[in-house]
């Protein structure tokens, strides 16, 4: 299977705080990899390092077999331009905990904005594609509303449509339901399940263990900046090998 993501011996420091330790991580095309673990374990930093929202301190990061970050003790070893890196990173779509919609733009404008500005998509084409994406996430009727008039679940579904508008090959989700009221979680997870069924490659940082069990092709457990254990959902949830994984799952399940 084609490797879409590869991290080799990745380390990340914030000042003197080591938040990622010698991370080796791969994601194949079509996989849904769910990253679980306690708060502060490095899960969010892991995916932020993939799309250059954070620069690694050491190691290598590949997207679709192209090297997009290489550092040794914080010193850049990368031979390609920042413009080329940015171009490669558009293959990744990202959905954050806190929606991050533009409050002054309507729903449809939020979804159209990046294709028009970044990809120079003609406005009529961007509009047609945005409407199709809003239908996909069940929000076609909200196209002219502003984000402030939507529920949290609706805002997050718009955020997913906005990320998909750039036609990414890989979707990154950073705890996409953690800011939602419990009754709104399901509507967002349903959209994510539909994407997984279509074969979208996904990395999902999540506390939703039911989603990880049902939809994940692989589960990665992190603690204190390290990948402690990874495997099939059935293996991780039914028979974890590492004591730290067992302790974490016993607390939350």
């Amino acid at each position: 299977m084609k490797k879409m993501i590869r991290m080799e011996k990745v380390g990340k420091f914030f000042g003197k705080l080591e938040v990622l330790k010698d991370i080796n991580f791969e994601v194949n095309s079509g996989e849904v990899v769910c990253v679980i673990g306690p708060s502060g374990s490095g899960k969010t930093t892991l995916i932020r390092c993939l799309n250059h929202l954070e620069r690694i301190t050491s190691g290598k990061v590949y997207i679709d077999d192209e090297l997009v970050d290489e550092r040794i003790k914080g010193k850049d070893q990368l031979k390609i331009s920042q413009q080329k890196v940015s171009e490669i990173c558009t293959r990744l779509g990202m959905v954050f905990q806190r929606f991050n919609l533009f409050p002054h733009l309507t729903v449809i404008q939020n979804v159209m904005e990046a294709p028009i500005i970044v990809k120079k998509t003609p406005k009529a084409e961007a509009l047609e594609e945005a409407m199709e994406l809003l239908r996909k996430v069940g929000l076609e009727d909200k196209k002219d509303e502003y984000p402030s008039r939507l529920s949290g679940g609706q805002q997050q579904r718009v955020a997913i449509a906005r990320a998909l508008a750039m036609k990414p090959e890989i979707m990154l989700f950073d705890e996409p339901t953690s800011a939602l009221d419990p009754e709104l979680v399901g509507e967002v997870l349903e959209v994510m399940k539909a994407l997984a069924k279509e074969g979208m490659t996904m990395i999902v940082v999540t506390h939703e263990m039911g989603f990880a069990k049902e939809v994940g092709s692989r589960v990665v457990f992190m603690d204190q900046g390290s990948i402690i254990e990874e495997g099939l959902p059935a293996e991780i949830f039914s028979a974890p090998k590492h004591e730290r994984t067992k302790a974490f799952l016993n607390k939350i399940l």
Side-chain angles (χ1 to χ4, degrees):
M1 290 191 70
K2 187 179 181 186
K3 283 191 176 32
M4 301 299 289
I5 293 285
R6 194 160 90 247
M7 287 180 144
E8 294 179 357
K9 296 188 171 298
V10 166
K12 172 66 180 171
F13 281 83
F14 288 113
K16 291 184 178 177
L17 179 65
E18 189 177 18
V19 290
L20 292 179
K21 303 171 185 174
D22 203 28
I23 295 288
N24 293 294
F25 179 64
E26 293 182 348
V27 179
N28 294 319
S29 176
E31 271 196 303
V32 178
V33 177
C34 294
V35 184
I36 65 171
S39 295
S41 58
K43 306 184 300 293
T44 291
T45 303
L46 176 85
I47 60 170
R48 286 176 68 87
C49 285
L50 286 174
N51 61 4
H52 260 233
L53 290 174
E54 301 289 353
R55 294 295 306 274
I56 61 176
T57 306
S58 59
K60 296 178 180 179
V61 177
Y62 296 84
I63 295 172
D64 202 6
D65 275 338
E66 297 199 63
L67 187 64
V68 294
D69 211 353
E70 182 181 10
R71 285 188 156 197
I72 298 172
K73 294 183 178 175
K75 292 193 174 155
D76 216 331
Q77 309 295 311
L78 207 54
K79 303 293 188 288
I80 61 171
S81 69
Q82 193 53 50
Q83 185 181 347
K84 178 65 175 169
V85 170
S86 298
E87 197 181 294
I88 297 167
C89 286
T90 63
R91 297 175 202 171
L92 280 66
M94 177 108 174
V95 177
F96 301 86
Q97 294 179 40
R98 295 266 169 202
F99 329 135
N100 288 2
L101 299 175
F102 297 116
H104 61 292
L105 298 180
T106 63
V107 163
I108 193 77
Q109 288 168 338
N110 263 282
V111 180
M112 291 169 63
E113 182 87 345
I116 290 171
I117 290 175
V118 179
K119 291 199 162 182
K120 311 300 180 200
T121 305
K123 194 170 180 181
E125 187 183 326
L127 176 61
E128 189 180 332
E129 290 175 354
M131 284 304 298
E132 183 54 41
L133 287 168
L134 289 178
R135 276 191 282 276
K136 188 180 192 127
V137 299
L139 288 172
E140 185 184 5
D141 61 328
K142 300 291 185 185
K143 67 183 178 67
D144 296 321
E145 296 284 7
Y146 286 91
S148 61
R149 294 177 60 84
L150 302 180
S151 70
Q154 289 170 333
Q155 288 187 60
Q156 194 62 297
R157 284 187 280 153
V158 174
I160 293 171
R162 184 179 63 176
L164 291 172
M166 290 293 285
K167 299 178 182 169
E169 295 171 33
I170 306 154
M171 283 288 285
L172 310 176
F173 292 88
D174 183 16
E175 298 187 19
T177 59
S178 66
L180 301 178
D181 292 333
E183 68 268 23
L184 302 176
V185 167
E187 65 191 61
V188 173
L189 293 181
E190 284 306 313
V191 171
M192 292 169 65
K193 285 176 190 175
L195 279 179
K197 276 185 187 163
E198 289 170 12
M200 174 64 79
T201 306
M202 294 161 62
I203 304 173
V204 185
V205 170
T206 187
H207 290 298
E208 299 291 338
M209 298 301 143
F211 177 87
K213 273 186 195 175
E214 182 188 342
V215 185
S217 28
R218 190 154 45 94
V219 173
V220 171
F221 173 68
M222 289 187 71
D223 189 36
Q224 295 184 351
S226 297
I227 292 176
I228 304 295
E229 186 170 354
E230 60 181 298
L232 298 172
E235 294 169 350
I236 297 293
F237 289 109
S238 303
K241 294 183 176 71
H242 200 283
E243 286 304 319
R244 183 66 189 94
T245 317
K246 287 180 193 173
F248 174 76
L249 292 173
N250 283 341
K251 264 188 182 174
I252 63 165
L253 293 177

